Amino acid sequence: MAGGMDTGGGKGGKKSLDTSINLTAFIDLMAVTISFLIMTAVWTQIGRLQVSQAGGPSTEEEQQQEEQTKTVQLNLLITPTELRLSADQSAFEPIPLTKDAKGKTDLSKLVARFKELKAQLPDQSAITLQPEDKVRYEDLVRIIDECIGAGLPQVSVSAAMG
């Protein structure tokens, strides 16, 4: 009777406290918890969006490289009904947003405009998106994907002004 303790009653004054512990439930719980933690770590790495802070170059080398390449400040104002692309002080004709047969926003005109822009400014890699509050999140994500696909990987999002 190893592990017994005197409880003051029973035959001989001792009651046995030896029990067998069922570890199956505990092992199952730990296996599920560990797999959940591993999957969460992987999904946070996959879902990460590369974002950089807007601002001037920090070193002299970056300033010299920026002077050598011709770039402009690209802004894309996104409203629920149209897209307005502007480069520095010049503005392009607004692109009306239409839905295709599946109910998704048709972005083919925007892609064509990006191709024209990249032909004129091959060194351009940054664009600022300015969505209004009523723009659907799905549309914003699709526009970000189109910007990256068109060769503008430095996408920043700011509040719409005006």
Side-chain angles (χ1 to χ4, degrees):
M1 239 202 265
M5 110 180 228
D6 184 13
T7 58
K11 196 174 191 182
K14 290 192 178 185
K15 184 177 181 182
S16 173
L17 294 178
D18 290 334
T19 59
S20 62
I21 299 173
N22 185 2
L23 292 178
T24 306
F26 179 73
I27 292 171
D28 289 344
L29 177 67
M30 293 309 293
V32 169
T33 305
I34 290 171
S35 61
F36 175 74
L37 290 173
I38 291 171
M39 287 189 305
T40 304
V42 170
W43 282 110
T44 57
Q45 293 297 320
I46 291 173
R48 183 174 292 165
L49 181 63
Q50 296 295 328
V51 179
S52 61
Q53 183 176 2
S58 59
T59 64
E60 289 181 20
E61 291 177 9
E62 290 178 6
Q63 288 177 350
Q64 290 173 355
Q65 288 176 354
E66 189 173 296
E67 290 173 2
Q68 292 173 356
T69 60
K70 184 179 179 187
T71 60
V72 295
Q73 176 62 39
L74 276 181
N75 292 320
L76 181 63
L77 177 66
I78 306 167
T79 67
T81 57
E82 67 182 3
L83 302 171
R84 295 183 197 153
L85 185 65
S86 62
D88 281 338
Q89 301 299 327
S90 62
F92 296 95
E93 185 178 326
I95 302 169
L97 287 179
T98 58
K99 305 281 183 188
D100 61 7
K102 296 179 182 177
K104 290 190 174 185
T105 304
D106 183 23
L107 298 175
S108 59
K109 293 179 183 177
L110 179 65
V111 173
R113 181 77 48 89
F114 282 152
K115 286 182 182 177
E116 293 173 12
L117 191 64
K118 280 304 275 187
Q120 296 171 1
L121 301 167
D123 295 330
Q124 185 70 34
S125 64
I127 186 168
T128 302
L129 304 181
Q130 299 174 328
E132 289 185 348
D133 290 338
K134 294 185 180 182
V135 173
R136 293 181 5 181
Y137 181 73
E138 174 187 359
D139 293 338
L140 178 62
V141 170
R142 289 187 59 224
I143 291 171
I144 290 172
D145 289 341
E146 292 299 337
C147 291
I148 293 170
L152 299 167
Q154 296 177 2
V155 178
S156 59
V157 179
S158 68
M161 301 292 178

